[in-house]
């Protein structure tokens, strides 16, 4: 696996792959790789000969109050596991390489980005879309893989690709979970032992809503109440939002139909966790 740290070096490496007739699959990450990230690499490998992984903790998408400085950085381990999963190129730029001078242009999404994560993290998605646009232009992949885990991000990236005609196909991969149901996340390592136990409530909440929907409950208020009952605040859980939304715009629906999502963000102790489930899909059995 080639490790490159500048846009020009990525382009040289990819030109070589293209000259061999290889398809280029791209997995953008912020590192601290876990099995969820590795599933994206595996999926990219299944579709493309040349898999490019990027590791970049993008300061633009963190508010000054957020965890940019303490975000986990485990580059050596990340490179070893990416190579073991068959990535051909790892693009690991420094902040100065990505943002060498004053920035005058950004990709700013419209109203869909102002709710859910956008309401709690103003400016977050402009930071995400700006870096994804830059990195798409650098890598120019055939296929780019994102996780359903960050549903609003995946939805907004899809909107950007469609609205701005980026020549890339997106592949949104299912959520990889721990055996007890907790969605894998780089931030799970912030959880202490009691928070980790309490965090099981998130997937249990989604499982209960999913089960109620399968049992015929379609009224969104009733589904929310079923979910809320699984998130006890005396366990140190504070719910930011729990709702049933449409797949296209992530707008709240009054009556749920298959393909809608139940979305959830909650703080467990000091750690903010996200999760979601597509209604109509089976929820994995929890241990
Ligand atoms: P991040 O490093 O957190 O920016 O995540 C990089 C990519 O991995 C994003 O597209 C995420 O949605 C995806 N991802 C994160 N957690 C998971 C998971 N548990 N299962 C599948 N994909 C994930």
């Amino acid at each position: 696996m080639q490790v490159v740290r500048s846009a020009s070096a990525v382009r040289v490496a990819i030109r070589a792959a293209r000259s061999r007739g290889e398809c280029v699959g791209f997995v953008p990450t912020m590192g601290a790789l876990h099995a969820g990230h590795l599933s994206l690499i595996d999926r990219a490998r299944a579709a493309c000969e040349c898999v490019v992984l990027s590791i970049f903790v993008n300061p633009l998408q963190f508010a000054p109050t957020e965890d940019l400085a303490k975000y986990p950085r485990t580059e050596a381990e990340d490179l070893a596991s990416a190579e073991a999963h068959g990535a051909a190129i790892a693009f690991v730029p420094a902040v100065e390489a990505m943002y060498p001078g004053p920035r005058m242009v950004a990709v700013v999404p419209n109203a869909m980005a102002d709710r859910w994560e956008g309401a709690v993290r103003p400016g977050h998605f402009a930071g995400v879309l700006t870096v994804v646009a830059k990195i798409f232009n650098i890598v120019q992949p055939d296929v780019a893989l994102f996780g359903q885990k960050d549903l609003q991000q995946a939805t907004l990236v899809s909107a950007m690709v469609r609205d701005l005609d980026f020549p890339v196909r997106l592949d949104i991969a299912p959520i990889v979970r721990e055996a007890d149901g907790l969605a894998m996340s780089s931030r799970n390592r912030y959880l202490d032992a009691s928070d980790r136990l309490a965090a099981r409530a998130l997937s249990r909440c989604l499982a209960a809503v999913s089960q109620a929907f399968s049992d015929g409950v379609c009224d969104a208020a009733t589904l929310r109440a079923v979910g809320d009952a699984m998130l006890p605040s005396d366990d140190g859980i504070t719910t930011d939002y729990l709702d049933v939304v449409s797949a296209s715009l992530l707008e709240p629906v009054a009556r749920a139909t298959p393909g809608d999502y139940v979305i959830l963000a909650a703080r467990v102790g000091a750690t903010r966790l996200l999760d979601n489930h597509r209604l109509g899909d089976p929820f994995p059995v929890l241990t």
Side-chain angles (χ1 to χ4, degrees):
M1 185 177 74
Q2 248 181 295
V3 180
V4 291
R5 297 187 188 271
S6 69
S8 55
V10 179
R11 291 203 170 104
V12 170
I14 288 175
R15 207 174 300 133
R18 292 245 181 246
S19 71
R20 294 189 294 270
E22 296 180 4
C23 160
V24 176
F26 179 42
V27 179
T29 79
M30 299 203 299
L33 299 188
H34 50 66
H37 296 117
L38 299 176
S39 77
L40 300 186
I41 299 178
D42 293 344
R43 222 171 143 100
R45 270 300 280 139
C48 294
E49 296 87 359
C50 174
V51 171
V52 182
L53 170 84
S54 66
I55 300 175
F56 181 60
V57 184
N58 173 35
L60 285 195
Q61 69 192 66
F62 287 77
T65 50
E66 292 180 347
D67 57 346
L68 174 63
K70 74 164 187 161
Y71 196 85
R73 286 162 169 87
T74 57
E75 186 181 309
E77 293 93 320
D78 291 351
L79 294 178
S81 34
E83 181 160 32
H85 281 256
I89 300 169
F91 176 38
V92 193
V95 172
E96 303 71 43
M98 286 294 275
Y99 302 122
R103 288 182 311 278
M104 300 176 72
V105 174
V107 180
V108 180
N110 66 15
M112 196 238 278
D114 294 340
R115 55 164 76 106
W116 316 128
E117 287 308 286
V120 181
R121 310 181 67 186
H124 170 68
F125 287 119
V128 169
L129 294 184
T130 300
V131 80
V132 171
K134 273 175 76 69
I135 218 160
F136 276 180
N137 283 331
I138 294 168
V139 174
Q140 300 187 2
D142 298 294
V143 186
L145 290 96
F146 289 82
Q148 179 193 318
K149 162 75 174 32
D150 298 285
L151 180 67
Q152 194 175 10
Q153 168 176 284
T155 307
L156 284 162
V157 170
S158 302
M160 179 182 81
V161 163
R162 185 192 63 229
D163 293 351
L164 302 184
D165 295 295
F166 278 83
V168 60
R169 180 168 74 77
L170 295 184
D171 181 15
I172 311 300
I175 299 173
V176 176
R177 298 177 178 281
E178 303 282 359
D180 68 358
L182 179 66
M184 292 200 178
S185 164
S186 305
R187 290 188 169 95
N188 289 351
R189 66 187 71 200
Y190 299 156
L191 299 167
D192 65 21
S194 75
D195 288 344
R196 176 65 187 80
L197 273 181
R200 294 184 305 177
L202 275 74
S203 50
R204 280 164 171 61
C205 162
L206 297 183
V209 174
S210 172
Q211 185 61 52
F213 180 74
S214 302
D215 293 344
V217 179
C218 297
D219 176 59
T222 310
L223 291 170
R224 278 198 305 272
V226 166
D228 266 330
M230 304 296 290
L231 297 168
S233 55
D234 54 359
D235 258 5
I237 298 176
T238 315
T239 307
D240 276 345
Y241 56 79
L242 166 66
D243 219 323
V244 183
V245 300
S246 66
S248 52
L249 294 175
L250 307 188
E251 277 174 331
V253 296
R255 287 189 71 71
T257 53
D260 291 339
Y261 286 86
V262 51
I263 57 170
L264 170 61
R267 272 165 288 143
V268 181
T271 308
R272 196 158 174 280
L273 300 175
L274 304 186
D275 205 346
N276 69 80
H277 182 67
R278 189 171 179 274
L279 293 175
D281 286 355
F283 201 90
V285 177
L286 308 181
T287 57

